[in-house]
Amino acid sequence: MTPERLDIDAALPRMQALASSLWSPRARHHPGQLAWSAAYGEPAALDLGPVFITDGAWAWLESPGWLEVCGADPEAVRAVVDAALGECDGEVRTSTLETEDVVLAVLADVAFVEVESPWFTHHFIDLADLPDVALPEGYAVRAVREGEHEPRSAVHRAAWSATSLVTSAAYERLMATAPYRAATDHVVVTDEGEWVASCCVWLDEATGMALVEPVGCVDPHARRGLATAASVSALTAARELGATTGLVCPRGDDDYPAPALLYRGIGFEPGARTRTYRQRG
Ligand SMILES: CC(C)(COP(=O)(O)OP(=O)(O)OC[C@H]1O[C@@H](n2cnc3c(N)ncnc32)[C@H](O)[C@@H]1OP(=O)(O)O)[C@@H](O)C(=O)NCCC(=O)NCCS
């Protein structure tokens, strides 16, 4: 079982297919998260590393010293992790969901140890329980349209940071990356036409899981329920397309509680959390 070594663009569809086929509330990876991680910035800026892949597992050196692992077969997981570590020089970190027993056992076998780090809690909602979209006066929410990558990337950057890697060219490429759909990427716009909040939802048709990633609202319009409205609206659109469950993965530690509060306000409930591990090479 010698893993193939591929670049991320070549590997992504197979990585997504495996993640989807292995998906459960105990698993870390969703096809939409992988699309976002692979395409949220321009390739030169992201500098993404190689993927080691077999039919049963993959390990991705997402950045120098950062590994992502997916698989449920211990031998396959060991093979891809060994192949990836073979290209690493020095310390490597990785993060898994605490319920991923097979990946955790392989990481322990190759001397990864848990370290303190910010962590994330997966949250779920039965989309039958979504509230209605509620907006204050002066705002409307709608889906992004084809060709709107420039204002869409701008509203993301304005909420996150001016130095964000989410450029217009990057967003254009993201919009061409499966399973992106403009129909589930929603923005809140003022009556004057200013884009002020956004939420992208990624529907995995095979599992019915609709992942929220990312959400933002620009500061001058904060705390008016706009990020909530964008999220509920995009999730409602995903439900109309067949999604049954919503998933979102906000920080779980105490340093940045706002997003988890936002999602719990919609009705999301916490599931498993991530843990971070380090191997010294
Ligand atoms: C977090 C963020 C999306 C909130 O946007 P928003 O439009 O202000 O959020 P809402 O008005 O819908 O807030 C809903 C709830 O979330 C929580 N919340 C939002 N911002 C908060 C803050 N700064 N501190 C504490 N709680 C906060 C509150 O519970 C709030 O309900 P309340 O106002 O009735 O108390 C926005 O601040 C942002 O874009 N931050 C940077 C990007 C980011 O972190 N995105 C989320 C992770 S993907």
Side-chain angles (χ1 to χ4, degrees):
M1 191 183 326
T2 307
E4 284 174 78
R5 182 187 191 282
L6 299 175
D7 69 31
I8 181 63
D9 288 343
L12 183 61
R14 282 172 63 190
M15 294 165 71
Q16 291 172 315
L18 185 69
S20 179
S21 72
L22 296 179
W23 199 87
S24 84
R26 299 171 63 82
R28 169 170 169 81
H29 296 287
H30 181 285
Q33 182 61 55
L34 294 170
W36 174 261
S37 298
Y40 72 94
E42 293 174 45
L46 292 182
D47 192 20
L48 303 172
V51 179
F52 302 86
I53 188 165
T54 68
D55 286 343
W58 53 255
W60 178 24
L61 283 169
E62 183 176 347
S63 60
W66 185 269
L67 187 65
E68 290 287 346
V69 183
C70 177
D73 168 40
E75 271 182 48
V77 173
R78 179 66 190 256
V80 295
V81 167
D82 281 347
L85 293 177
E87 293 210 9
C88 295
D89 194 12
E91 181 176 303
V92 181
R93 288 183 177 229
T94 186
S95 186
T96 72
L97 214 53
E98 61 187 349
T99 41
E100 292 186 298
D101 299 334
V102 170
V103 172
L104 286 168
V106 169
L107 293 176
D109 281 349
V110 294
F112 276 86
V113 293
E114 188 172 354
V115 288
E116 279 295 311
S117 177
W119 45 277
F120 299 82
T121 306
H122 285 205
H123 282 68
F124 302 92
I125 186 171
D126 181 338
L127 294 179
D129 299 334
L130 269 184
D132 293 335
V133 177
L135 273 174
E137 228 172 275
Y139 300 93
V141 63
R142 68 163 174 87
V144 170
R145 300 179 189 123
E146 242 178 86
E148 289 188 325
H149 44 275
E150 201 284 321
R152 178 62 182 89
S153 59
V155 72
H156 175 90
R157 283 195 307 276
W160 283 79
S161 117
T163 57
S164 157
L165 297 179
V166 182
T167 61
S168 178
Y171 214 92
E172 185 174 23
R173 188 164 156 264
L174 184 79
M175 289 174 79
T177 304
Y180 178 87
R181 296 182 194 226
T184 57
D185 187 4
H186 284 210
V187 286
V188 175
V189 184
T190 66
D191 284 353
E192 291 74 40
E194 187 191 355
W195 293 35
V196 293
S198 59
C199 170
C200 188
V201 165
W202 302 81
L203 170 58
D204 179 16
E205 282 185 3
T207 58
M209 295 300 302
L211 171 76
V212 173
E213 172 72 332
V215 174
C217 176
V218 303
D219 253 349
H221 298 264
R223 301 304 282 269
R224 297 179 194 175
L226 304 186
T228 299
S231 304
V232 173
S233 182
L235 284 164
T236 303
R239 184 176 64 188
E240 283 160 11
L241 290 165
T244 53
T245 307
L247 165 68
V248 69
C249 314
R251 287 272 290 273
D253 55 86
D254 291 337
D255 283 354
Y256 191 47
L261 290 170
L262 187 167
Y263 303 127
R264 288 185 196 186
I266 292 172
F268 279 89
E269 288 181 2
R273 59 162 279 187
T274 62
R275 292 184 187 277
T276 300
Y277 298 84
R278 177 181 67 197
Q279 198 236 44
R280 287 194 183 276

